[in-house]
């Protein structure tokens, strides 16, 4: 049997760790690794058109599967292109291993062609970031990197010079059993007892949930019923907590709706469950706050805490719920449910009035029809900006659907590459990219990746010929919009020229048929919907000093644009409120 080289050993370890594919662009120093993949049946090389796409795709795959995913870039500019997607994966706590191929080891530090220093460049967007400088290091270093990514939830970066990758692998390398899943973390009894006493003492309890409630829906519902608590959520908590939730009071934050803001600010005790909600201006300052999080570094960094509980949400609630006293007073909960339903009644007609005649098309209407037609287990990837608004307001979670976006990093151009990673995990599952024209054109070259691999991703393009969220920020700040207008082509024609299905929609009556046809198409498809750039109505009391990046930090109701099927859910929950 021929002796392995370092690249072959590297690839074998990835396969043993459960990695199914490596996303990247081939080139020079990376070539030995790509060749090793070519000869290994246990892993696939996915050729993308831009390394940023590779990192976004790997991050999306990791979020869908909950297992390690991987991407790679060649030396210098090649791996440098990974950095934005890696930031997103890291901030999303997606376990991703990135290979940053490097220049020849003998030339490092001498200003060689394409020289960069990956061990410095990727420091801020990784838990582990080291360079292999000789073959003896490789097995242990790679295994350590894998366990950092999985164990801590985020990115590990391994840099490897091309000449090291081609050298013979050490014959008696140390390869240990790899950790491929994370344990449950249960808080100590002392913290549980303290929290129990605080809950029993409080008259009005509110739960505010984030992505850390994944897998804990039943436990949150049981606890909410026991303490008669309204349940609000952040955007990343929507898919995990809003469905089958008779205590739902909506979402807080920039895209907030319903009574979530009131519920979090009018309670005696606010319990933050698995959320690192960044907009502290929406959190109260005069109520007691408890935070439960599996990441101890998240505890207390958004608001002053009266109790910090280190543990995952499911295990914490399983230990806590049997201990707390059952509350019988529903007055606060019922008042918040009614306020939530009333708030949604006030905005629901925004996309239903004269939609058959409104040209350009209301984007709210597009999102509403998309929500109705998409599969019950569809995966939606959502571009940053106005597509976040439509996803937050109109996509209906049900426990089977997934919604992935750049919700923590806030990058443009994430939806298409994330759809690539999501679709590779299951070619039979419907994947829909809700793309804005600004984000789509930024990485439009990777639409060709859909065609090359015949990935049946459906791109629904909200084409308003502008950077809509930026225009909104300028408007609220009292500035004239400038540099936000895009001169766009017929994207459907471009899709057809690339070998995909493409259709352009300019009138509302065409929309439903166009989406149905695209969904029935077996391969990649693009629906270019010309939408109204003036779709938002802004409350009159927002002042310029309220804008901080992506947050309007001093407003409790920000956007008036309809809420889709969420009104029906609110009405249904309201029927559970006892009548006097």
């Amino acid at each position: 049997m021929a002796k392995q080289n370092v690249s072959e050993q590297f690839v074998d370890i990835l396969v043993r760790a459960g990695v199914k594919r490596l996303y990247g662009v081939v080139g020079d120093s990376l070539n030995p690794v790509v060749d090793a993949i070519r000869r290994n049946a246990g892993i696939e090389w996915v050729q993308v058109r831009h390394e940023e796409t590779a990192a976004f795709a790997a991050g999306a795959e990791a979020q869908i599967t909950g297992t390690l995913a991987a991407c790679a870039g060649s030396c210098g500019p090649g791996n440098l292109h990974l950095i934005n997607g890696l930031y997103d994966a890291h901030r999303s706590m997606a376990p991703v291993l990135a290979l940053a191929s490097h220049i020849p080891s003998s030339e490092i530090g001498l200003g060689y062609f394409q020289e960069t220093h990956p061990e410095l460049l990727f420091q801020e967007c990784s838990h582990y970031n080291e360079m292999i400088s000789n073959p003896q290091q490789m097995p242990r270093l790679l295994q350590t990197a894998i366990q950092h990514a999985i164990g801590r939830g985020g990115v590990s970066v391994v840099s490897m010079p091309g000449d090291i990758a081609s050298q013979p692998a050490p014959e008696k390398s140390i390869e240990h059993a790899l950790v491929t899943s994370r344990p449950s973390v249960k808080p100590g009894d002392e913290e549980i007892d303290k929290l129990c006493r605080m809950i029993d003492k409080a008259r009005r309890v509110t739960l505010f949930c984030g992505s850390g409630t994944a897998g804990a829906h039943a436990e949150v519902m049981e606890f909410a019923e026991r303490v008669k608590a309204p349940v609000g959520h952040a955007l990343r908590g929507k898919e995990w907590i809003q469905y089958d939730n008779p205590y739902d009071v909506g979402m807080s934050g920039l895209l907030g709706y319903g009574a979530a803001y009131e519920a979090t600010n009018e309670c005696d005790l606010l319990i933050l469950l698995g959320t690192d909600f960044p907009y502290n201006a929406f959190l109260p300052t005069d109520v007691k706050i408890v935070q439960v999080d599996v990441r101890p570094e998240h505890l207390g960094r958004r608001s002053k805490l009266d109790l910090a509980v280190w543990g995952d949400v499911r295990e914490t609630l399983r230990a806590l719920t049997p201990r707390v006293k059952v509350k019988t007073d529903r007055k606060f909960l019922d008042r918040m449910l009614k306020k939530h339903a009333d708030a949604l009644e006030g905005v629901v007609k925004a996309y239903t009035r004269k939609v058959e005649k409104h040209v350009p098309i209301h984007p709210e209407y597009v999102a509403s029809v998309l929500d109705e037609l998409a599969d019950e287990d569809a995966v939606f990837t959502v571009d940053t900006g106005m597509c976040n608004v439509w996803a937050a307001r109109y996509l209906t979670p049900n426990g089977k659907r997934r919604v992935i976006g750049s919700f923590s990093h806030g990058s443009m151009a994430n939806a298409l590459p994330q759809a690539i990673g999501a679709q590779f995990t299951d070619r039979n599952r419907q994947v829909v990219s809700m793309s804005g024209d600004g984000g789509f054109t930024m990485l439009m070259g990777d639409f060709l990746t859909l065609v090359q691999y015949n990935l049946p991703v459906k791109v629904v393009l909200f084409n308003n010929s502008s950077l809509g969220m930026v225009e909104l920020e300028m408007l609220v700040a009292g500035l004239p919009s400038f540099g936000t207008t895009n001169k766009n082509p017929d994207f459907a024609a471009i899709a057809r020229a690339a070998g995909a299905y493409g259709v352009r929609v300019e009138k509302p009556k065409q929309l439903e048929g166009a989406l149905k046809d695209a969904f029935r198409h077996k391969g990649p498809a693009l629906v270019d919907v010309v939408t109204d750039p003036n779709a938002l109505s802004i409350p009159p009391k927002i002042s310029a000093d309220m804008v901080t990046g992506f947050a309007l930090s001093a407003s409790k109701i920000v956007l008036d644009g309809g809420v889709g099927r969420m009104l029906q859910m609110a009405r249904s929950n309201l029927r559970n409120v006892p009548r006097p």
Side-chain angles (χ1 to χ4, degrees), residues 197-263:
R197 289 193 293 270
M198 292 176 71
I199 294 168
D200 288 344
K201 185 177 180 182
R203 291 177 53 245
R204 302 183 300 273
V205 179
T206 293
L207 310 182
F208 187 66
C209 303
S211 61
T213 57
H217 184 275
E219 286 77 9
V220 174
M221 296 303 107
E222 182 184 0
F223 180 68
E225 166 58 29
R226 195 169 182 90
V227 299
K228 305 301 183 288
V231 179
H233 59 268
L235 178 55
R236 290 190 67 196
K238 175 184 172 76
E239 63 178 323
W240 305 115
I241 214 67
Q242 189 188 35
Y243 69 95
D244 295 339
N245 180 357
Y247 318 100
D248 177 49
V249 291
M251 188 168 78
S252 192
L254 169 67
L255 313 182
Y257 55 81
Y261 180 87
E262 287 85 351

Side-chain angles (χ1 to χ4, degrees), residues 346-353 355 362 364 394 535 537 560-563:
V347 298
V348 75
K349 293 180 181 178
Y351 75 90
T352 57
R353 290 192 299 265
V355 293
H362 278 304
E364 303 98 323
Y394 295 95
S537 62
D560 179 7
V563 289

Side-chain angles (χ1 to χ4, degrees), residues 469 518 545:
M469 185 59 74
D545 62 355

Side-chain angles (χ1 to χ4, degrees), residues 21 64 374-379 400 419-432 453-458 519-523:
R21 55 195 63 84
I64 291 291
D375 289 350
E376 288 296 295
D377 66 344
V379 177
K400 295 181 287 186
I420 291 171
Q423 192 71 84
F424 263 112
T425 67
D426 185 351
R427 286 178 173 270
N428 295 316
R429 189 175 186 181
Q430 187 181 73
V431 176
V432 180
Y453 289 94
N454 196 32
L455 294 173
V457 169
K458 314 307 177 190
F519 288 163
R520 280 193 293 262
H521 182 70
K522 298 299 183 183

Side-chain angles (χ1 to χ4, degrees), residues 309-381:
V309 180
W310 181 10
D312 64 55
V313 172
R314 184 170 62 180
E315 293 303 317
T316 300
L317 293 183
R318 284 179 174 177
L320 175 68
T321 301
R323 300 193 194 185
V324 298
K325 296 177 182 177
V326 176
K327 295 186 185 295
T328 57
D329 186 350
R330 288 182 56 105
K331 290 179 183 178
F332 177 62
L333 170 61
D334 293 343
R335 181 163 63 88
M336 289 300 113
L337 290 175
K338 186 176 187 307
K339 184 170 286 191
H340 179 59
D342 290 346
L344 299 195
E345 290 277 5
V347 298
V348 75
K349 293 180 181 178
Y351 75 90
T352 57
R353 290 192 299 265
K354 300 179 181 178
V355 293
E356 295 295 327
K357 298 179 180 178
H358 189 96
V359 178
I361 301 169
H362 278 304
E364 303 98 323
Y365 178 63
V366 180
S368 176
V369 174
L370 176 61
D371 179 57
E372 293 282 352
L373 296 180
D375 289 350
E376 288 296 295
D377 66 344
V379 177
F380 297 91
T381 59

